Amino acid sequence: MTATRVLVLNSGSSSVKYQLLDMRDRSRLAAGLVERIGEQTSRLRHTCLTTGATREQTGPIADHDAALKAVAEELGRDGLGLDSPDLAAIGHRVVHGGMFFTEPTVVDDQVLTEIERLIPVAPLHNPANLTGLRTARALRPDLPQVAVFDTAFHTTMPESAARYAIDPKIADRHRIRRYGFHGTSHAYVSRETARLLGKEPSEVNVIVLHLGNGASASAVRGGRCVDTSMGLTPLEGLVMGTRSGDLDPAVIFHLARVGGMSMDEIDTLLNKRSGLFGLCGDNDMREIRRRIDEGDEEARLAFDIYIHRLKKYIGAYFAVLGNVDAVAFTAGVGENAAPVREAAITGLDGLGMAVDPELNAVRGDGPRLISPASARVAVAVVPTDEELEIATQTYALVGKNN
Ligand SMILES: Nc1ncnc2c1ncn2[C@@H]1O[C@H](COP(=O)(O)OP(=O)(O)O)[C@@H](O)[C@H]1O
Ligand SMILES: CC(=O)OP(=O)(O)O
Ligand SMILES: [Mg+2]
């Protein structure tokens, strides 16, 4: 292949993260972020890594279409525009691939239709992913657009973990099952954790804790996912920035029947106004820690609920795996919030897990161990890189097809 560059687009509900990589040495040429799409205060931050130039623009960016066009313009200003003959493909994060997509897929009209059909089970994410795909296709119709699905890594889950305990006929009719998300991150981090231990992925059992704004845990046996905390949608499981995670489904009936709320209102409550934000009014762990340091009881309780849930999943996945070689913390909270890591592991000596406070306090960019040498289970911080993983999968697929 003569063209060796891949542009990766990671479109979230109100943001787009992007990276342009040269796959000959997997180096980053440009990277950036568009935030608060749809608001008056949108912001685009762009860095050209070949020149070190950084630019920022603020002001309304109405939707993901406008966001992507602004990104294309910024890349063009550095001579890295979408018209470049060096561009081999564009790789897109697509959150929900249902049962249909188990591998990275070159996007055509049929693939777009299928991603669209999955909107009801990923209402915050799939519409943004679709806009990204459509806009990128319009800008470069000749270029392969590759969708890399969050759900793909979890398709190895056994039926015992993937099924809910409801009538299978009803479940199958409505395609209700546990799909799991953040799979690109769980795959990458579980592999990097094996590497940190000097082992092959097939030789280790890892619990991956992806703690970002959305958060999920997974149990990975020998490189294959056997359970994960998110389900039909990214609402199940851990306490998140704005999502409740697990609750008794009867809470929903109660809110509707007794609370008089509509289904849409309950959906918004649980997805956008719950989790840390719902508990204490802040969803950023830095702010929550600051408030705790000032003696704020509401922030303290929110933190404790977050940690309690996390601990339960660590214990559950220990039981699912039978034995565990490593627990890996990743994503914004997992990589940066030492107090979260310490609180989640404290008291788990019975499972062979401990955190060394000094190692835990060290800040760094790369994968690192934070458990004492004597611990039976390695506890590690393993930075995720969804963009690199998407670029790698995209380039491999395009190379195979050429
Ligand atoms: N230095 C830090 N200390 C504690 N928490 C942090 C720090 N930096 C980021 N975070 C947390 O990480 C979150 C964002 O994580 P990220 O993985 O980027 O999320 P997403 O991809 O879902 O937007 C923030 O909301 C914040 O809670
Ligand atoms: C699936 C999901 O929750 O994604 P994010 O963390 O990017 O919101
Ligand atoms: Mg994320």
Side-chain angles (χ1 to χ4, degrees):
M1 251 193 304
T2 46
T4 57
R5 293 178 183 170
V6 173
L7 175 65
V8 176
L9 298 173
N10 179 347
S11 303
S13 52
S14 66
S15 68
V16 180
K17 291 182 191 165
Y18 62 95
Q19 281 188 18
L20 179 68
L21 296 104
D22 189 330
M23 298 314 290
R24 282 175 300 189
D25 57 358
R26 299 170 22 127
S27 62
R28 287 190 300 159
L29 304 173
L33 168 70
V34 191
E35 294 175 286
R36 297 196 287 272
I37 296 171
E39 294 177 36
Q40 289 301 311
T41 56
S42 314
R43 182 169 68 167
L44 193 165
R45 262 184 303 165
H46 174 86
T47 306
C48 173
L49 292 132
T50 54
T51 62
T54 299
R55 291 188 293 277
E56 187 166 315
Q57 48 167 291
T58 47
I61 295 179
D63 52 28
H64 282 76
D65 178 56
L68 202 47
K69 287 178 176 150
V71 169
E73 210 166 288
E74 286 297 336
L75 289 166
R77 288 174 67 186
D78 294 321
L80 301 169
L82 261 65
D83 52 355
S84 163
D86 294 328
L87 201 57
I90 303 181
H92 300 254
R93 175 189 184 207
V94 178
V95 164
H96 214 313
M99 288 290 278
F100 201 75
F101 299 110
T102 58
E103 303 273 345
T105 304
V106 176
V107 174
D108 57 18
D109 289 338
Q110 200 194 336
V111 171
L112 286 179
T113 306
E114 190 59 27
I115 295 171
E116 195 162 17
R117 282 216 305 150
L118 291 161
I119 286 177
V121 279
L124 297 182
H125 295 92
N126 272 29
N129 303 155
L130 268 173
T131 308
L133 278 163
R134 290 200 171 109
T135 305
R137 253 181 134 202
L139 291 171
R140 275 299 298 269
D142 57 315
L143 213 59
Q145 310 280 335
V146 175
V148 177
F149 297 93
D150 258 40
T151 41
F153 182 61
H154 304 300
T155 52
T156 53
M157 280 197 291
E159 288 295 283
S160 53
R163 286 218 172 244
Y164 292 107
I166 61 173
D167 181 341
K169 288 192 286 301
I170 295 176
D172 290 345
R173 188 179 322 139
H174 300 290
R175 301 197 289 178
I176 294 170
R177 59 188 281 120
R178 307 190 57 257
Y179 294 97
F181 300 90
H182 296 134
T184 307
S185 177
H186 287 287
Y188 177 84
V189 170
S190 57
R191 269 205 324 272
E192 287 297 305
T193 306
R195 194 208 299 270
L196 179 68
L197 300 182
K199 300 249 172 85
E200 291 297 320
S202 59
E203 297 174 312
V204 292
N205 290 351
V206 184
I207 297 174
V208 179
L209 304 170
H210 175 109
L211 311 176
N213 230 327
S216 64
S218 69
V220 183
R221 174 180 290 134
R224 290 164 69 85
C225 178
V226 293
D227 203 353
T228 194
S229 60
M230 284 178 167
L232 173 71
T233 79
L235 182 56
E236 190 178 337
L238 300 175
V239 176
M240 311 183 209
T242 65
R243 292 172 233 161
S244 62
D246 294 335
L247 41 75
D248 180 345
V251 169
I252 296 166
F253 316 143
H254 192 80
L255 287 171
R257 291 184 189 131
V258 181
M261 291 174 74
S262 71
M263 277 302 152
D264 283 347
E265 284 169 342
I266 299 171
D267 193 331
T268 303
L269 173 73
L270 299 181
N271 272 298
K272 298 192 174 166
R273 291 197 284 113
S274 296
L276 292 169
F277 176 77
L279 286 164
C280 74
D282 273 307
N283 61 343
D284 193 306
M285 193 52 81
R286 284 164 286 201
E287 188 57 20
I288 291 170
R289 289 304 311 175
R290 196 191 57 73
R291 284 172 55 185
I292 292 172
D293 289 345
E294 286 175 355
D296 185 320
E297 286 301 322
E298 204 180 44
R300 174 87 248 169
L301 181 58
F303 183 84
D304 289 348
I305 294 170
Y306 183 95
I307 296 296
H308 180 75
R309 186 81 51 84
L310 197 52
K311 257 195 172 114
K312 286 213 295 197
Y313 271 93
I314 296 170
Y317 288 170
F318 191 99
V320 166
L321 290 168
N323 64 67
V324 174
D325 297 287
V327 177
F329 285 90
T330 197
V333 175
E335 290 166 32
N336 296 299
V340 168
R341 299 191 295 257
E342 188 188 327
I345 299 297
T346 297
L348 300 185
D349 341 30
L351 302 182
M353 296 175 195
V355 161
D356 177 318
E358 271 174 38
L359 293 177
N360 192 32
V362 174
R363 301 193 66 85
D365 289 334
R368 56 199 184 272
L369 289 173
I370 57 169
S371 46
S374 58
R376 255 189 297 134
V377 177
V379 181
V381 179
V382 181
T384 192
D385 197 337
E386 288 167 290
E387 284 78 15
L388 175 62
E389 179 70 13
I390 291 169
T392 306
Q393 294 192 16
T394 298
Y395 195 62
L397 180 61
V398 173
K400 209 160 57 185
N401 290 350
N402 272 352

